Amino acid sequence: MLTEALQRLADERGGVIGVEPDLVITPDETWTAASELLRPPYTLLEELVDETAARWSAPRHVGAALFWKTYGYWHTMPMALGWALDGRVPTMRPADTYFKVSGAGVTIAASRVSWGSGVAPIRRALAESQAPLVRVLSRMARVGERTLWGSTAEAFAHPLTQFVAGDYMALLAEIGKPVDGLIEPSDDGYFRRTCCLWIALPDVEPCASCCVLRPPRRRPSDEARRRS
């Protein structure tokens, strides 16, 4: 069910999608092992961050945040959709994961995918595949880990409001830290509680989910005055 949904999405987007619809590939020279991103002294990761920063004429920490917003989204999205569609969650072990630069920013796939159910495999995937990258990016570019995890949290919320209906708040709460508490529902959408740093670019509009657009919360005293 999930791979069919990903293929439909790819068709709708003219093939521009950041995950292989079948999830599984036979890696060739066009693919790079994701484990290379964590090979000290992190030369490949540094290059990708610098390329992202140069593309948007952005400071390096913004380039790191935007790179992660793309990579983290496509790594997370299949897990969110699988959870919402039929409860079957695909996870890509770090040693089996590959990526390449593409029209979607990056495209991610794996030489082998494991299927599980519930949030346990999602927690494990975040801990094994995303947390090490978040830590390195944070140190490398001096961007807060909470900022980066906010993009992962949105990668659960966005597909479950745009592609397949799902209770993303319940999912985030069940996963727990580090993604719980970083998204706030609002009417038919949501707001982030951290900024992805897109707004730091010159001459851009904030994302629709940007925390700078989030209405201020009413304090209890404000609510009491409103009712009086």
Side-chain angles (χ1 to χ4, degrees):
M1 185 177 292
L2 172 61
T3 55
E4 289 85 351
L6 291 174
Q7 186 60 61
R8 287 195 299 271
L9 181 60
D11 293 342
E12 292 167 4
R13 296 166 61 99
V16 181
I17 184 174
V19 62
E20 281 291 315
D22 288 336
L23 300 179
V24 177
I25 49 110
T26 300
D28 57 23
E29 68 278 358
T30 67
W31 293 93
T32 300
S35 58
E36 291 298 312
L37 295 172
L38 290 170
R39 185 184 297 277
Y42 311 112
T43 303
L44 178 57
L45 187 58
E46 295 256 15
E47 290 175 354
L48 291 168
V49 167
D50 289 342
E51 288 169 4
T52 305
R55 184 184 317 132
W56 298 108
S57 300
R60 196 158 185 266
H61 72 287
V62 176
L66 296 181
F67 169 76
W68 180 251
K69 184 176 183 178
T70 299
Y71 187 98
Y73 181 86
W74 295 116
H75 183 267
T76 302
M77 196 254 287
M79 296 187 288
L81 291 182
W83 177 86
L85 283 167
D86 59 5
R88 297 183 69 236
V89 176
T91 56
M92 304 176 185
R93 293 180 60 84
D96 302 326
T97 306
Y98 291 80
F99 78 96
K100 60 183 173 182
V101 176
S102 70
V106 296
T107 296
I108 295 174
S111 57
R112 180 176 56 185
V113 170
S114 299
W115 293 86
S117 60
V119 301
I122 297 176
R123 288 196 200 104
R124 186 166 58 250
L126 297 186
E128 293 179 352
S129 298
Q130 294 198 20
L133 276 168
V134 165
R135 287 193 294 268
V136 171
L137 281 169
S138 178
R139 292 195 304 267
M140 174 189 298
R142 297 187 178 181
V143 58
E145 290 190 20
R146 192 168 185 270
T147 292
L148 301 177
W149 283 119
S151 290
T152 296
E154 184 169 25
F156 287 106
H158 181 267
L160 300 191
T161 56
Q162 299 300 312
F163 307 135
V164 174
D167 190 345
Y168 61 89
M169 290 299 291
L171 175 57
L172 291 170
E174 193 171 354
I175 295 170
K177 300 299 181 183
V179 293
D180 186 29
L182 300 182
I183 297 291
E184 180 177 313
S186 176
D187 298 325
D188 294 331
Y190 61 87
F191 288 109
R192 291 176 56 135
R193 289 182 172 169
T194 64
C195 183
C196 72
L197 301 186
W198 169 260
I199 199 173
L201 301 179
D203 304 318
V204 300
E205 296 293 325
C207 307
S209 61
C210 186
C211 57
V212 303
L213 300 177
R214 181 163 55 97
R217 296 181 185 176
R218 289 194 182 96
R219 294 174 299 179
S221 57
D222 295 335
E223 187 68 17
R225 281 197 295 270
R226 188 178 69 82
R227 291 178 178 178
S228 61

